[in-house]
Short mmCIF file of all heavy atoms in Angstrom, two decimals:
data_model
loop_
_atom_site.label_atom_id
_atom_site.label_comp_id
_atom_site.label_asym_id
_atom_site.label_seq_id
_atom_site.Cartn_x
_atom_site.Cartn_y
_atom_site.Cartn_z
N MET A 30 -1.23 -13.50 -2.66
CA MET A 30 -0.74 -12.90 -1.41
C MET A 30 -1.16 -11.44 -1.35
O MET A 30 -1.00 -10.69 -2.29
CB MET A 30 0.78 -13.02 -1.38
CG MET A 30 1.35 -12.69 -0.01
SD MET A 30 3.15 -12.89 0.02
CE MET A 30 3.66 -11.35 -0.72
N ALA A 31 -1.69 -11.07 -0.25
CA ALA A 31 -2.17 -9.68 -0.11
C ALA A 31 -1.02 -8.74 0.22
O ALA A 31 -0.19 -9.02 1.07
CB ALA A 31 -3.22 -9.63 0.98
N GLU A 32 -1.00 -7.66 -0.50
CA GLU A 32 -0.03 -6.61 -0.20
C GLU A 32 -0.78 -5.42 0.35
O GLU A 32 -1.95 -5.24 0.09
CB GLU A 32 0.70 -6.18 -1.47
CG GLU A 32 1.54 -7.27 -2.09
CD GLU A 32 2.09 -6.82 -3.43
OE1 GLU A 32 1.31 -6.80 -4.39
OE2 GLU A 32 3.27 -6.49 -3.49
N LYS A 33 -0.08 -4.60 1.08
CA LYS A 33 -0.73 -3.41 1.63
C LYS A 33 -0.04 -2.14 1.15
O LYS A 33 1.18 -2.07 1.15
CB LYS A 33 -0.70 -3.45 3.16
CG LYS A 33 -1.69 -4.42 3.75
CD LYS A 33 -1.73 -4.24 5.26
CE LYS A 33 -2.52 -5.34 5.94
NZ LYS A 33 -3.93 -5.31 5.64
N VAL A 34 -0.85 -1.19 0.76
CA VAL A 34 -0.31 0.10 0.33
C VAL A 34 -0.35 1.06 1.52
O VAL A 34 -1.34 1.11 2.24
CB VAL A 34 -1.17 0.74 -0.77
CG1 VAL A 34 -0.43 1.91 -1.38
CG2 VAL A 34 -1.55 -0.26 -1.80
N GLN A 35 0.73 1.80 1.69
CA GLN A 35 0.74 2.78 2.76
C GLN A 35 1.39 4.07 2.29
O GLN A 35 2.28 4.06 1.44
CB GLN A 35 1.51 2.23 3.97
CG GLN A 35 0.75 1.11 4.65
CD GLN A 35 1.47 0.57 5.87
OE1 GLN A 35 2.68 0.40 5.84
NE2 GLN A 35 0.72 0.33 6.93
N ILE A 36 0.94 5.17 2.88
CA ILE A 36 1.58 6.45 2.61
C ILE A 36 2.21 6.93 3.91
O ILE A 36 1.56 6.95 4.95
CB ILE A 36 0.54 7.49 2.14
CG1 ILE A 36 0.03 7.13 0.75
CG2 ILE A 36 1.16 8.89 2.12
CD1 ILE A 36 -1.07 8.05 0.23
N ASP A 37 3.47 7.31 3.82
CA ASP A 37 4.13 7.90 4.99
C ASP A 37 3.62 9.34 5.12
O ASP A 37 3.99 10.21 4.34
CB ASP A 37 5.65 7.89 4.77
CG ASP A 37 6.38 8.42 6.01
OD1 ASP A 37 5.78 9.21 6.77
OD2 ASP A 37 7.55 8.05 6.19
N GLN A 38 2.74 9.54 6.08
CA GLN A 38 2.07 10.84 6.23
C GLN A 38 3.05 11.97 6.53
O GLN A 38 2.78 13.13 6.25
CB GLN A 38 1.02 10.75 7.34
CG GLN A 38 -0.12 9.79 7.02
CD GLN A 38 -1.05 10.35 5.94
OE1 GLN A 38 -1.46 11.49 6.01
NE2 GLN A 38 -1.34 9.55 4.94
N ASP A 39 4.17 11.65 7.14
CA ASP A 39 5.15 12.69 7.46
C ASP A 39 5.85 13.19 6.21
O ASP A 39 6.27 14.34 6.13
CB ASP A 39 6.21 12.17 8.44
CG ASP A 39 5.59 11.89 9.81
OD1 ASP A 39 4.57 12.52 10.13
OD2 ASP A 39 6.14 11.05 10.52
N GLU A 40 5.97 12.32 5.23
CA GLU A 40 6.72 12.66 4.02
C GLU A 40 5.85 13.22 2.90
O GLU A 40 6.33 13.94 2.02
CB GLU A 40 7.46 11.42 3.50
CG GLU A 40 8.48 10.84 4.46
CD GLU A 40 9.64 11.80 4.70
OE1 GLU A 40 10.01 12.52 3.76
OE2 GLU A 40 10.15 11.83 5.83
N CYS A 41 4.58 12.90 2.90
CA CYS A 41 3.68 13.32 1.83
C CYS A 41 3.63 14.85 1.74
O CYS A 41 3.44 15.54 2.73
CB CYS A 41 2.28 12.76 2.09
SG CYS A 41 1.04 13.36 0.92
N ILE A 42 3.79 15.36 0.51
CA ILE A 42 3.76 16.82 0.32
C ILE A 42 2.42 17.27 -0.28
O ILE A 42 2.26 18.43 -0.65
CB ILE A 42 4.92 17.29 -0.58
CG1 ILE A 42 4.87 16.59 -1.95
CG2 ILE A 42 6.26 17.04 0.11
CD1 ILE A 42 5.86 17.16 -2.97
N GLY A 43 1.49 16.35 -0.39
CA GLY A 43 0.13 16.72 -0.82
C GLY A 43 0.01 17.15 -2.26
O GLY A 43 -0.83 17.97 -2.61
N CYS A 44 0.82 16.58 -3.14
CA CYS A 44 0.79 17.00 -4.55
C CYS A 44 -0.41 16.42 -5.31
O CYS A 44 -0.74 16.86 -6.39
CB CYS A 44 2.08 16.59 -5.23
SG CYS A 44 2.21 14.81 -5.42
N GLU A 45 -1.02 15.41 -4.74
CA GLU A 45 -2.20 14.75 -5.32
C GLU A 45 -1.92 13.93 -6.58
O GLU A 45 -2.86 13.56 -7.28
CB GLU A 45 -3.33 15.76 -5.60
CG GLU A 45 -3.91 16.35 -4.33
CD GLU A 45 -5.16 17.16 -4.59
OE1 GLU A 45 -6.19 16.57 -4.96
OE2 GLU A 45 -5.11 18.40 -4.44
N THR A 46 -0.69 13.71 -6.90
CA THR A 46 -0.37 12.89 -8.06
C THR A 46 -0.96 11.48 -7.92
O THR A 46 -1.58 10.96 -8.85
CB THR A 46 1.16 12.77 -8.24
OG1 THR A 46 1.70 14.07 -8.41
CG2 THR A 46 1.52 11.89 -9.43
N CYS A 47 -0.80 10.90 -6.76
CA CYS A 47 -1.31 9.54 -6.56
C CYS A 47 -2.83 9.49 -6.70
O CYS A 47 -3.38 8.54 -7.23
CB CYS A 47 -0.88 9.00 -5.20
SG CYS A 47 -1.38 10.03 -3.81
N VAL A 48 -3.49 10.54 -6.23
CA VAL A 48 -4.95 10.59 -6.31
C VAL A 48 -5.39 10.66 -7.77
O VAL A 48 -6.33 9.99 -8.19
CB VAL A 48 -5.50 11.81 -5.54
CG1 VAL A 48 -7.02 11.85 -5.60
CG2 VAL A 48 -5.03 11.78 -4.09
N GLU A 49 -4.69 11.48 -8.55
CA GLU A 49 -5.03 11.61 -9.96
C GLU A 49 -4.80 10.31 -10.72
O GLU A 49 -5.58 9.94 -11.58
CB GLU A 49 -4.20 12.73 -10.60
CG GLU A 49 -4.78 14.10 -10.32
CD GLU A 49 -3.80 15.21 -10.65
OE1 GLU A 49 -2.99 15.01 -11.57
OE2 GLU A 49 -3.85 16.24 -9.98
N LEU A 50 -3.72 9.62 -10.37
CA LEU A 50 -3.38 8.40 -11.09
C LEU A 50 -4.24 7.22 -10.67
O LEU A 50 -4.48 6.31 -11.45
CB LEU A 50 -1.91 8.05 -10.84
CG LEU A 50 -0.87 8.95 -11.51
CD1 LEU A 50 0.52 8.58 -11.01
CD2 LEU A 50 -0.95 8.82 -13.01
N CYS A 51 -4.70 7.23 -9.45
CA CYS A 51 -5.33 6.03 -8.90
C CYS A 51 -6.43 6.40 -7.91
O CYS A 51 -6.30 6.19 -6.70
CB CYS A 51 -4.23 5.21 -8.22
SG CYS A 51 -4.59 3.47 -8.13
N LYS A 52 -7.51 6.89 -8.43
CA LYS A 52 -8.59 7.42 -7.60
C LYS A 52 -9.27 6.38 -6.73
O LYS A 52 -9.87 6.69 -5.71
CB LYS A 52 -9.66 8.07 -8.48
CG LYS A 52 -9.28 9.43 -9.01
CD LYS A 52 -10.48 10.08 -9.69
CE LYS A 52 -10.25 11.55 -9.97
NZ LYS A 52 -9.03 11.85 -10.69
N SER A 53 -9.22 5.13 -7.16
CA SER A 53 -9.92 4.11 -6.38
C SER A 53 -9.14 3.69 -5.13
O SER A 53 -9.69 3.07 -4.24
CB SER A 53 -10.17 2.87 -7.25
OG SER A 53 -8.96 2.36 -7.75
N VAL A 54 -7.86 4.06 -5.09
CA VAL A 54 -7.03 3.63 -3.96
C VAL A 54 -6.63 4.81 -3.07
O VAL A 54 -6.60 4.70 -1.85
CB VAL A 54 -5.76 2.90 -4.45
CG1 VAL A 54 -4.85 2.54 -3.28
CG2 VAL A 54 -6.15 1.66 -5.23
N PHE A 55 -6.34 5.96 -3.70
CA PHE A 55 -5.87 7.11 -2.93
C PHE A 55 -6.90 8.23 -2.93
O PHE A 55 -7.60 8.46 -3.92
CB PHE A 55 -4.56 7.65 -3.51
CG PHE A 55 -3.46 6.63 -3.58
CD1 PHE A 55 -3.13 6.04 -4.79
CD2 PHE A 55 -2.76 6.25 -2.44
CE1 PHE A 55 -2.12 5.08 -4.85
CE2 PHE A 55 -1.76 5.30 -2.50
CZ PHE A 55 -1.44 4.72 -3.71
N ALA A 56 -6.98 8.95 -1.83
CA ALA A 56 -7.85 10.11 -1.74
C ALA A 56 -7.10 11.23 -1.04
O ALA A 56 -6.06 11.00 -0.40
CB ALA A 56 -9.13 9.77 -0.99
N PHE A 57 -7.62 12.45 -1.17
CA PHE A 57 -6.94 13.59 -0.60
C PHE A 57 -7.68 14.09 0.63
O PHE A 57 -8.89 14.27 0.61
CB PHE A 57 -6.85 14.71 -1.64
CG PHE A 57 -5.93 15.82 -1.23
CD1 PHE A 57 -4.56 15.61 -1.14
CD2 PHE A 57 -6.44 17.08 -0.96
CE1 PHE A 57 -3.71 16.64 -0.76
CE2 PHE A 57 -5.58 18.12 -0.58
CZ PHE A 57 -4.22 17.91 -0.49
N ASN A 58 -6.97 14.28 1.70
CA ASN A 58 -7.55 14.77 2.94
C ASN A 58 -7.39 16.30 2.98
O ASN A 58 -6.28 16.81 3.19
CB ASN A 58 -6.84 14.12 4.13
CG ASN A 58 -7.45 14.55 5.46
OD1 ASN A 58 -8.16 15.57 5.54
ND2 ASN A 58 -7.19 13.79 6.51
N GLU A 59 -8.49 17.00 2.76
CA GLU A 59 -8.43 18.47 2.70
C GLU A 59 -7.99 19.06 4.04
O GLU A 59 -7.40 20.14 4.10
CB GLU A 59 -9.81 19.05 2.34
CG GLU A 59 -10.35 18.60 0.99
CD GLU A 59 -9.65 19.29 -0.18
OE1 GLU A 59 -8.90 20.24 0.07
OE2 GLU A 59 -9.85 18.85 -1.33
N ASP A 60 -8.30 18.37 5.11
CA ASP A 60 -8.01 18.91 6.44
C ASP A 60 -6.51 19.03 6.72
O ASP A 60 -6.05 20.04 7.24
CB ASP A 60 -8.65 18.04 7.54
CG ASP A 60 -10.17 18.17 7.52
OD1 ASP A 60 -10.66 19.19 7.02
OD2 ASP A 60 -10.85 17.24 8.01
N ASP A 61 -5.77 17.99 6.36
CA ASP A 61 -4.33 18.09 6.64
C ASP A 61 -3.50 18.25 5.37
O ASP A 61 -2.27 18.31 5.42
CB ASP A 61 -3.83 16.92 7.50
CG ASP A 61 -3.96 15.57 6.80
OD1 ASP A 61 -4.28 15.54 5.59
OD2 ASP A 61 -3.71 14.55 7.45
N GLY A 62 -4.17 18.32 4.20
CA GLY A 62 -3.45 18.58 2.97
C GLY A 62 -2.57 17.43 2.52
O GLY A 62 -1.56 17.63 1.84
N LYS A 63 -2.96 16.22 2.89
CA LYS A 63 -2.17 15.06 2.49
C LYS A 63 -3.06 13.96 1.92
O LYS A 63 -4.26 13.94 2.17
CB LYS A 63 -1.41 14.51 3.71
CG LYS A 63 -0.37 15.51 4.18
CD LYS A 63 0.37 15.04 5.42
CE LYS A 63 1.32 16.15 5.85
NZ LYS A 63 2.65 15.71 6.12
N ALA A 64 -2.42 13.10 1.18
CA ALA A 64 -3.17 11.98 0.61
C ALA A 64 -3.23 10.84 1.62
O ALA A 64 -2.40 10.74 2.52
CB ALA A 64 -2.48 11.50 -0.66
N TYR A 65 -4.25 10.00 1.47
CA TYR A 65 -4.34 8.82 2.32
C TYR A 65 -4.84 7.64 1.49
O TYR A 65 -5.35 7.82 0.38
CB TYR A 65 -5.24 9.06 3.53
CG TYR A 65 -6.69 9.34 3.19
CD1 TYR A 65 -7.64 8.32 3.20
CD2 TYR A 65 -7.10 10.62 2.84
CE1 TYR A 65 -8.97 8.57 2.89
CE2 TYR A 65 -8.44 10.89 2.53
CZ TYR A 65 -9.37 9.85 2.56
OH TYR A 65 -10.68 10.10 2.25
N VAL A 66 -4.67 6.48 2.04
CA VAL A 66 -5.08 5.27 1.34
C VAL A 66 -6.50 4.89 1.75
O VAL A 66 -6.78 4.75 2.94
CB VAL A 66 -4.11 4.10 1.68
CG1 VAL A 66 -4.54 2.83 0.96
CG2 VAL A 66 -2.69 4.48 1.28
N ILE A 67 -7.39 4.78 0.78
CA ILE A 67 -8.78 4.46 1.07
C ILE A 67 -8.91 3.01 1.55
O ILE A 67 -9.54 2.72 2.53
CB ILE A 67 -9.66 4.62 -0.20
CG1 ILE A 67 -9.53 6.04 -0.74
CG2 ILE A 67 -11.11 4.30 0.13
CD1 ILE A 67 -10.09 6.19 -2.14
N ASP A 68 -8.30 2.14 0.80
CA ASP A 68 -8.35 0.72 1.17
C ASP A 68 -6.98 0.11 0.92
O ASP A 68 -6.58 -0.11 -0.21
CB ASP A 68 -9.41 0.01 0.32
CG ASP A 68 -9.50 -1.47 0.65
OD1 ASP A 68 -8.67 -1.96 1.46
OD2 ASP A 68 -10.38 -2.14 0.11
N GLU A 69 -6.26 -0.14 1.98
CA GLU A 69 -4.87 -0.55 1.82
C GLU A 69 -4.69 -1.94 1.23
O GLU A 69 -3.60 -2.34 0.87
CB GLU A 69 -4.10 -0.41 3.14
CG GLU A 69 -4.66 -1.21 4.28
CD GLU A 69 -3.89 -0.98 5.58
OE1 GLU A 69 -3.25 0.07 5.70
OE2 GLU A 69 -3.92 -1.87 6.44
N ASP A 70 -5.78 -2.66 1.11
CA ASP A 70 -5.68 -4.01 0.52
C ASP A 70 -5.92 -4.05 -0.99
O ASP A 70 -5.87 -5.09 -1.59
CB ASP A 70 -6.65 -4.96 1.21
CG ASP A 70 -6.21 -5.27 2.63
OD1 ASP A 70 -5.00 -5.44 2.84
OD2 ASP A 70 -7.07 -5.32 3.51
N THR A 71 -6.20 -2.90 -1.58
CA THR A 71 -6.51 -2.89 -3.01
C THR A 71 -5.26 -2.63 -3.86
O THR A 71 -5.25 -1.78 -4.73
CB THR A 71 -7.54 -1.80 -3.36
OG1 THR A 71 -7.09 -0.57 -2.82
CG2 THR A 71 -8.90 -2.13 -2.85
N VAL A 72 -4.23 -3.39 -3.59
CA VAL A 72 -2.99 -3.15 -4.29
C VAL A 72 -2.89 -3.81 -5.63
O VAL A 72 -1.96 -3.58 -6.38
CB VAL A 72 -1.80 -3.73 -3.51
CG1 VAL A 72 -0.69 -2.73 -3.54
CG2 VAL A 72 -2.19 -4.13 -2.14
N ASP A 73 -3.87 -4.61 -5.87
CA ASP A 73 -3.84 -5.43 -7.06
C ASP A 73 -4.09 -4.62 -8.31
O ASP A 73 -4.73 -5.08 -9.23
CB ASP A 73 -4.94 -6.47 -6.92
CG ASP A 73 -4.48 -7.80 -7.38
OD1 ASP A 73 -3.25 -8.01 -7.35
OD2 ASP A 73 -5.33 -8.62 -7.77
N LYS A 74 -3.62 -3.42 -8.34
CA LYS A 74 -3.94 -2.53 -9.44
C LYS A 74 -2.67 -1.91 -9.99
O LYS A 74 -1.81 -1.48 -9.25
CB LYS A 74 -4.87 -1.43 -8.96
CG LYS A 74 -6.12 -1.99 -8.38
CD LYS A 74 -7.16 -0.96 -8.16
CE LYS A 74 -8.47 -1.65 -7.81
NZ LYS A 74 -9.45 -0.74 -7.30
N ASN A 75 -2.61 -1.86 -11.29
CA ASN A 75 -1.43 -1.27 -11.92
C ASN A 75 -1.23 0.19 -11.54
O ASN A 75 -0.10 0.66 -11.45
CB ASN A 75 -1.54 -1.38 -13.44
CG ASN A 75 -1.31 -2.81 -13.89
OD1 ASN A 75 -0.64 -3.58 -13.21
ND2 ASN A 75 -1.87 -3.16 -15.04
N CYS A 76 -2.32 0.89 -11.32
CA CYS A 76 -2.18 2.31 -11.01
C CYS A 76 -1.45 2.54 -9.70
O CYS A 76 -0.85 3.59 -9.49
CB CYS A 76 -3.54 3.01 -11.04
SG CYS A 76 -4.71 2.48 -9.77
N VAL A 77 -1.48 1.57 -8.80
CA VAL A 77 -0.75 1.73 -7.54
C VAL A 77 0.75 1.78 -7.82
O VAL A 77 1.46 2.64 -7.30
CB VAL A 77 -1.05 0.56 -6.56
CG1 VAL A 77 -0.11 0.61 -5.37
CG2 VAL A 77 -2.49 0.62 -6.10
N LYS A 78 1.20 0.88 -8.68
CA LYS A 78 2.63 0.88 -9.01
C LYS A 78 3.01 2.16 -9.74
O LYS A 78 4.09 2.72 -9.55
CB LYS A 78 2.96 -0.34 -9.85
CG LYS A 78 2.83 -1.60 -9.04
CD LYS A 78 3.33 -2.83 -9.78
CE LYS A 78 3.37 -4.04 -8.85
NZ LYS A 78 2.05 -4.38 -8.29
N GLU A 79 2.11 2.62 -10.58
CA GLU A 79 2.34 3.88 -11.29
C GLU A 79 2.46 5.04 -10.30
O GLU A 79 3.34 5.89 -10.41
CB GLU A 79 1.17 4.13 -12.25
CG GLU A 79 1.51 5.01 -13.40
CD GLU A 79 0.29 5.22 -14.31
OE1 GLU A 79 -0.54 4.30 -14.43
OE2 GLU A 79 0.20 6.32 -14.86
N ALA A 80 1.57 5.04 -9.32
CA ALA A 80 1.60 6.10 -8.30
C ALA A 80 2.88 6.03 -7.48
O ALA A 80 3.49 7.06 -7.18
CB ALA A 80 0.37 5.97 -7.39
N ILE A 81 3.30 4.84 -7.12
CA ILE A 81 4.54 4.68 -6.35
C ILE A 81 5.71 5.26 -7.14
O ILE A 81 6.54 5.98 -6.60
CB ILE A 81 4.80 3.20 -6.02
CG1 ILE A 81 3.78 2.72 -4.99
CG2 ILE A 81 6.22 2.98 -5.51
CD1 ILE A 81 3.80 1.21 -4.73
N GLY A 82 5.73 4.97 -8.44
CA GLY A 82 6.82 5.46 -9.28
C GLY A 82 6.76 6.95 -9.54
O GLY A 82 7.77 7.56 -9.88
N SER A 83 5.59 7.54 -9.38
CA SER A 83 5.41 8.95 -9.72
C SER A 83 5.41 9.87 -8.51
O SER A 83 5.49 11.09 -8.66
CB SER A 83 4.08 9.15 -10.46
OG SER A 83 4.04 8.35 -11.62
N CYS A 84 5.33 9.33 -7.34
CA CYS A 84 5.28 10.17 -6.13
C CYS A 84 6.60 10.91 -5.95
O CYS A 84 7.65 10.30 -5.81
CB CYS A 84 5.02 9.28 -4.91
SG CYS A 84 5.13 10.19 -3.35
N PRO A 85 6.56 12.25 -5.96
CA PRO A 85 7.80 13.03 -5.86
C PRO A 85 8.47 12.91 -4.50
O PRO A 85 9.69 13.13 -4.39
CB PRO A 85 7.33 14.46 -6.12
CG PRO A 85 5.89 14.48 -5.80
CD PRO A 85 5.38 13.10 -6.12
N ALA A 86 7.71 12.55 -3.48
CA ALA A 86 8.28 12.42 -2.15
C ALA A 86 8.70 10.98 -1.85
O ALA A 86 9.25 10.68 -0.80
CB ALA A 86 7.28 12.90 -1.11
N GLU A 87 8.41 10.09 -2.80
CA GLU A 87 8.71 8.67 -2.64
C GLU A 87 8.22 8.13 -1.30
O GLU A 87 8.94 7.40 -0.61
CB GLU A 87 10.23 8.42 -2.80
CG GLU A 87 10.71 8.77 -4.19
CD GLU A 87 12.20 8.50 -4.40
OE1 GLU A 87 12.85 8.01 -3.45
OE2 GLU A 87 12.69 8.75 -5.51
N CYS A 88 7.01 8.50 -0.96
CA CYS A 88 6.52 8.10 0.36
C CYS A 88 5.41 7.05 0.31
O CYS A 88 4.79 6.76 1.31
CB CYS A 88 6.06 9.32 1.14
SG CYS A 88 4.70 10.20 0.36
N ILE A 89 5.15 6.51 -0.89
CA ILE A 89 4.17 5.42 -0.98
C ILE A 89 4.91 4.10 -0.96
O ILE A 89 5.85 3.91 -1.71
CB ILE A 89 3.34 5.52 -2.28
CG1 ILE A 89 2.73 6.90 -2.43
CG2 ILE A 89 2.26 4.44 -2.27
CD1 ILE A 89 2.05 7.11 -3.79
N SER A 90 4.47 3.23 -0.09
CA SER A 90 5.12 1.93 -0.03
C SER A 90 4.08 0.84 -0.22
O SER A 90 2.90 1.03 -0.01
CB SER A 90 5.84 1.74 1.29
OG SER A 90 4.92 1.81 2.35
N CYS A 91 4.57 -0.30 -0.64
CA CYS A 91 3.70 -1.42 -0.89
C CYS A 91 4.45 -2.67 -0.42
O CYS A 91 5.49 -2.99 -0.95
CB CYS A 91 3.39 -1.49 -2.38
SG CYS A 91 2.40 -2.89 -2.82
N GLU A 92 3.93 -3.32 0.61
CA GLU A 92 4.65 -4.48 1.11
C GLU A 92 3.74 -5.64 1.42
O GLU A 92 2.54 -5.48 1.45
CB GLU A 92 5.46 -4.09 2.35
CG GLU A 92 4.65 -3.43 3.42
CD GLU A 92 5.54 -2.91 4.54
OE1 GLU A 92 6.57 -2.26 4.26
OE2 GLU A 92 5.18 -3.16 5.70
S1 SF4 B 126 2.03 11.37 -4.83
FE1 SF4 B 126 3.16 11.14 -2.89
S2 SF4 B 126 3.54 13.23 -2.15
FE2 SF4 B 126 1.95 13.35 -3.74
S3 SF4 B 126 0.02 13.27 -2.58
FE3 SF4 B 126 0.51 11.17 -3.19
S4 SF4 B 126 1.65 10.31 -1.45
FE4 SF4 B 126 1.65 12.54 -1.21
#
């Protein structure tokens, strides 16, 4: 079953933790200072769960 990763752009504080933990899924947008999801269908990775657990703003969701 496919899950989708999303970042709540309003809540993201741009700490880049998710990008550091999971470069293949998250990237940093220099223009607005927030992280975004490169491919929301690539959830099949342990680093996504790690990023969700490490995000200080708790704004990464996976459903
Ligand atoms: S870890 Fe959370 S707050 Fe930090 S950049 Fe990623 S989504 Fe934004």
Side-chain angles (χ1 to χ4, degrees):
M30 192 178 80
E32 295 173 285
K33 285 188 190 293
V34 192
Q35 290 181 318
I36 291 176
D37 183 334
Q38 295 288 312
D39 292 334
E40 298 295 326
C41 174
I42 58 171
C44 69
E45 293 189 69
T46 300
C47 56
V48 181
E49 279 166 31
L50 289 173
C51 205
K52 283 188 168 52
S53 59
V54 176
F55 303 103
F57 192 68
N58 183 341
E59 299 286 349
D60 290 337
D61 64 9
K63 294 178 184 229
Y65 64 96
V66 179
I67 302 166
D68 180 354
E69 58 183 24
D70 289 320
T71 52
V72 223
D73 222 24
K74 302 192 170 167
N75 287 334
C76 65
V77 171
K78 292 187 171 60
E79 204 180 327
I81 290 172
S83 302
C84 173
E87 297 182 0
C88 62
I89 308 172
S90 61
C91 177
E92 53 188 47

